[in-house]
Amino acid sequence: MGRAARVLVVGSGVAGLVAAGRLADSGLAVTVVDKGRGVGGRLATRRVGAARLDHGAQFFTVRDGRLARRVEQWLVDGVAREWCRGFHQPPDGHPRYVGATGMTDLAKDLARGLEVRLSTRLVGIRRGAGGWLAEAAEGATLEAEAVVLSAPVPQGLALLGPALPPTATDALREVRYSPTLALLAVLDRPSAVPPPGGVRLEGPGPLSFVADNHAKGISAVPALTVHASDRTSLEGWDLPDAEVITALSRAARPWLGDQEPAEAQLARWRYATPVALHPERCLVAVDGDRPVVFAGDAFGEARVEGAYLSGLAAAGAVLDRITPS
Ligand SMILES: Cc1cc2nc3c(=O)[nH]c(=O)nc-3n(C[C@H](O)[C@H](O)[C@H](O)COP(=O)(O)OP(=O)(O)OC[C@H]3O[C@@H](n4cnc5c(N)ncnc54)[C@H](O)[C@@H]3O)c2cc1C
């Protein structure tokens, strides 16, 4: 019996993990690498003192049957639960789901049984004798016959550089993201965020979303996640953390409940939201039996569900090109 083809998946966010799971289920040998210390990418949950806060994606919605089936299982297994059916009054009735103890629960479940190498930041991917050679900052080299790149597109482009044909490079350069600054504020007393514990803010103001992680059910103590609007995030990106924390605390005052945060941290998402997307669910950047496929929420739909469906599409594109032995 021959050796199973080895696929390297860059990124352990939703897209990378879903692609890896599908490829592994099809009999391919898959390695996932991520520069982070944990899986999840923009599904991110952080402890601050006694508090637990989601600081990337706050919830997810489901339209497609393939994700719906997975969510049904997550609900049975206690991996996910419904948070609410809308943030305005009256609610729109569409379920918003969350990880049972934080959004990273979803990624941890998707990663079960997979070979995932964390704290491994790739610095370059080039052609090698058997396909592709990926070099990690820590010095290790990984060999692969196929690559799924689910890092935010500019980071993926930087890894491959001249190895990509110009048509792929041109299409990928069209993809653009906006950043998000996120304030994580631990409180001594209950917040003033009304039920169900999330406020979506539209319009030209400084904030886009405020979530009470205690009301959401993941934090033992009151703790707010405050997302700055695209404009505020862009304008404040180069300011020092302390200055941004002060400005966002001021902007969040109506929801703090007449108190200053007992503890505050800043999270920075440089590639938070794709604002110019690639129209297809994935992009086969290098075709043939040694393919490189780009995936992620910049392909089709800028949300958790979009990343999920992109991961499936990328796995399909790889399976069409290389065969498990
Ligand atoms: C502030 C914020 C709020 C959001 N709110 C919502 C929401 O409420 N609902 C919703 O549906 N979506 C929301 N989203 C979007 C959602 O989080 C994303 O659509 C989804 O998580 C993207 O998954 P992904 O796999 O495409 O990318 P990512 O999760 O970004 O995964 C990419 C991974 O690649 C890794 N990586 C990058 N470069 C390298 C390298 N050189 N070497 C190794 N690894 C590398 C990164 O560490 C990362 O883990 C939000 C996002 C943010 C940032």
Side-chain angles (χ1 to χ4, degrees):
M1 202 170 84
R3 180 174 69 86
R6 179 155 285 279
V7 185
L8 173 67
V9 175
V10 184
S12 71
V14 178
L17 291 174
V18 167
R22 173 90 181 78
L23 292 165
D25 287 349
S26 302
L28 297 181
V30 183
T31 302
V32 182
V33 294
D34 201 296
K35 64 186 168 126
R37 277 179 297 157
V39 294
R42 279 171 275 164
L43 298 184
T45 311
R46 188 188 285 184
R47 275 183 196 288
V48 182
R52 218 174 134 76
L53 307 94
D54 283 329
H55 56 102
Q58 296 299 303
F59 60 87
F60 68 102
T61 49
V62 183
R63 289 167 185 78
D64 187 276
R66 288 164 291 178
L67 177 57
R69 278 193 292 283
R70 172 79 74 158
V71 174
E72 267 170 40
Q73 195 57 49
W74 276 343
L75 294 173
V76 171
D77 295 344
V79 173
R81 60 185 164 76
E82 188 180 310
W83 176 10
C84 61
R85 297 214 164 188
F87 299 101
H88 296 293
Q89 285 306 327
D92 59 25
H94 197 62
R96 269 67 166 184
Y97 298 102
V98 291
T101 69
M103 291 296 277
T104 44
D105 287 2
L106 311 176
K108 286 181 190 158
D109 187 69
L110 291 170
R112 266 194 303 135
L114 294 174
E115 186 197 332
V116 183
R117 296 195 195 176
L118 296 170
S119 304
T120 304
R121 185 168 64 84
L122 295 188
V123 290
I125 301 177
R126 59 192 157 84
R127 286 184 189 275
W132 299 97
L133 284 176
E135 197 189 328
E138 301 75 17
T141 305
L142 291 108
E143 243 188 300
E145 288 162 44
V147 178
V148 173
L149 253 169
S150 73
V153 171
Q155 295 176 324
L157 263 173
L159 285 178
L160 275 143
L164 290 183
T167 45
T169 306
D170 289 349
L172 292 165
R173 282 201 181 127
E174 300 277 312
V175 173
R176 300 247 183 282
Y177 297 75
S178 64
T180 297
L181 292 167
L183 169 72
L184 313 184
V186 183
L187 308 180
D188 286 327
R189 299 191 302 279
S191 79
V193 177
V199 181
R200 185 183 279 293
L201 299 147
E202 274 134 21
L207 305 181
S208 61
F209 199 80
V210 180
D212 180 335
N213 292 277
H214 180 63
K216 187 175 168 180
I218 69 163
S219 181
V221 300
L224 296 191
T225 301
V226 178
H227 284 156
S229 64
D230 287 1
R231 194 170 133 200
T232 302
S233 298
L234 261 178
E235 287 172 359
W237 191 259
D238 293 322
L239 298 175
D241 284 10
E243 227 172 286
V244 179
I245 287 173
T246 304
L248 294 184
S249 301
R250 194 175 306 133
R253 202 162 276 160
W255 294 282
L256 286 171
D258 204 20
Q259 62 189 314
E260 290 300 318
E263 196 172 345
Q265 290 186 4
L266 186 70
R268 292 171 182 267
W269 296 103
R270 179 178 291 279
Y271 301 108
T273 313
V275 287
L277 283 80
H278 185 74
E280 310 291 334
R281 291 271 180 212
C282 68
L283 183 121
V284 179
V286 178
D287 210 339
D289 62 358
R290 297 290 182 268
V292 175
V293 182
F294 276 71
D297 69 338
F299 297 84
E301 240 178 307
R303 59 174 130 235
V304 170
E305 182 170 37
Y308 191 97
L309 297 176
S310 176
L312 285 181
V318 170
L319 290 169
D320 286 345
R321 288 166 176 80
I322 62 173
T323 24
S325 40

